[in-house]
Amino acid sequence: MMRLATFTADGRQLWGAVADTGMIALSDAFPQWPTLRSVISGGGWKLVTELADRLALTHPFRDIRWDIPVPDAEKIICVGVNFPDRNAEYKDGQEAPPNMSLFPRFARSFTGHDQPLIRPPESPQLDYEGEIAVVIGRGGRRIAEADALDHIAALTLCNEGTIRDWVRHAKFNVTQGKNWDRSGAMGPWLVPFTDPGQILDVALETRVNGAIRQSDRTGRMLFPVARQIAYISTFTTLVPGDIIVTGTPTGAGARFDPPLWLNPGDVVEVSAEGIGTLRNGVADE
């Protein structure tokens, strides 16, 4: 299964296919598609991967910096409190709501695979949240739940890093705590979505310094991915390249007593069956 990724080499941001030991740069061959978002929007996945099958490696992994796969998504929408026990973690005495909690993230708040998550000087409360992200391939408004999975182009992984005390800086919104520059990560690559089984019941795990902190299956989501797409597209038009970050299992650092915040030198790995592993260190700004 051909994977596509965005990367920087020699000061240029490129995109291409992932090989065993490096990248096959493809972006110069398709100037009409400057980013993977435009490849998706233009229906170019099959064409670019057919070319990749005929080309040799251009950039060994040691010579690249991984970037987030879709650097110019119009929308990145995250789903909160979407696994059993997550609602209870909030200890607010409230029942799980009938509709999903949503919030936006900006592309600048993410970094790529093998790049450090950045802890800002304003707070030590950098936390992790391992998730699967879906990339929209066919846009639409008021998409029927029964048709929703047909609108997915690709899957990737997300560490939806959070500055916890800034999540509670206001009465009811979490945007501040979710959008610190490079506090989260996305990648390493895009895996083409060809079968509903790739998302319906998939194992998802987060490890910190090798220790399992989060482990669950997407089949236990309170709001499955098809419902997410249908619900979100009710109020906003989804377009190719939009990203939905689908929710994290219980076990984030904030839920331990005392909390287990991330510190410089820590390594966080998010893994999902059929997608791969997203790995990031931690560094101070």
Side-chain angles (χ1 to χ4, degrees):
M1 184 178 293
M2 186 67 73
R3 301 160 296 173
L4 299 180
T6 301
F7 63 100
T8 294
D10 299 322
R12 293 181 62 211
Q13 188 174 78
L14 307 167
W15 58 262
V18 182
D20 289 341
T21 59
M23 300 299 303
I24 303 168
L26 298 169
S27 40
D28 286 347
F30 299 97
Q32 72 273 33
W33 295 326
T35 68
L36 287 180
R37 174 188 174 189
S38 55
V39 172
I40 292 168
S41 179
W45 192 294
K46 184 174 185 289
L47 183 63
V48 302
T49 55
E50 285 175 349
L51 177 61
D53 284 335
R54 304 195 299 269
L55 297 179
L57 189 80
T58 60
H59 296 82
F61 288 137
R62 66 176 180 272
D63 295 338
I64 73 164
R65 183 193 73 205
W66 296 91
D67 296 327
I68 66 173
V70 182
D72 56 344
E74 180 185 286
K75 295 183 287 297
I76 303 172
I77 299 177
C78 303
V79 180
V81 197
N82 195 28
F83 277 85
D85 306 321
R86 280 283 287 143
N87 187 66
E89 286 183 335
Y90 283 82
K91 299 178 181 177
D92 57 8
Q94 298 181 16
E95 295 295 321
N99 295 311
M100 64 197 73
S101 299
L102 301 172
F103 53 90
R105 281 196 73 141
F106 315 134
R108 188 180 294 272
S109 71
F110 293 108
T111 193
H113 174 66
D114 267 346
Q115 305 304 308
L117 307 175
I118 300 301
R119 186 177 72 169
E122 288 83 0
S123 172
Q125 295 187 15
L126 175 61
D127 206 352
Y128 55 86
E129 294 187 9
E131 312 192 31
I132 294 172
V134 301
V135 183
I136 297 298
R138 181 160 59 92
R141 181 82 190 277
R142 299 185 179 91
I143 297 167
E145 187 170 340
D147 301 327
L149 297 186
D150 294 335
H151 288 256
I152 300 174
L155 305 175
T156 190
L157 293 168
C158 180
N159 183 347
E160 216 263 294
T162 304
I163 305 299
R164 287 291 175 197
D165 50 349
W166 279 69
V167 167
R168 296 289 176 253
H169 259 209
K171 183 175 177 62
F172 55 80
N173 66 306
V174 302
T175 301
Q176 302 94 309
K178 295 288 189 177
N179 278 288
W180 289 79
D181 286 2
R182 295 180 292 165
S183 58
M186 199 175 293
W189 43 62
L190 299 182
V191 173
F193 184 77
T194 59
D195 187 321
Q198 290 174 268
I199 195 67
L200 292 180
D201 189 30
V202 173
L204 173 63
E205 182 177 281
T206 305
R207 300 177 297 277
V208 179
N209 301 326
I212 296 174
R213 296 279 185 85
Q214 296 179 290
S215 182
D216 214 323
R217 300 189 67 87
T218 59
R220 283 167 36 86
M221 284 182 172
L222 303 177
F223 304 102
V225 171
R227 185 171 175 190
Q228 295 177 28
I229 293 170
Y231 181 77
I232 292 168
S233 69
T234 303
F235 65 85
T236 186
T237 300
L238 290 173
V239 300
D242 281 352
I243 298 169
I244 300 174
V245 183
T246 60
T248 196
T250 187
R255 309 312 168 192
F256 289 83
D257 187 14
L260 297 175
W261 308 124
L262 295 174
N263 293 294
D266 287 344
V267 176
V268 187
E269 296 171 298
V270 179
S271 298
E273 292 175 323
I275 303 177
T277 297
L278 170 65
R279 181 179 59 251
N280 298 91
V282 179
D284 276 334
E285 184 177 340

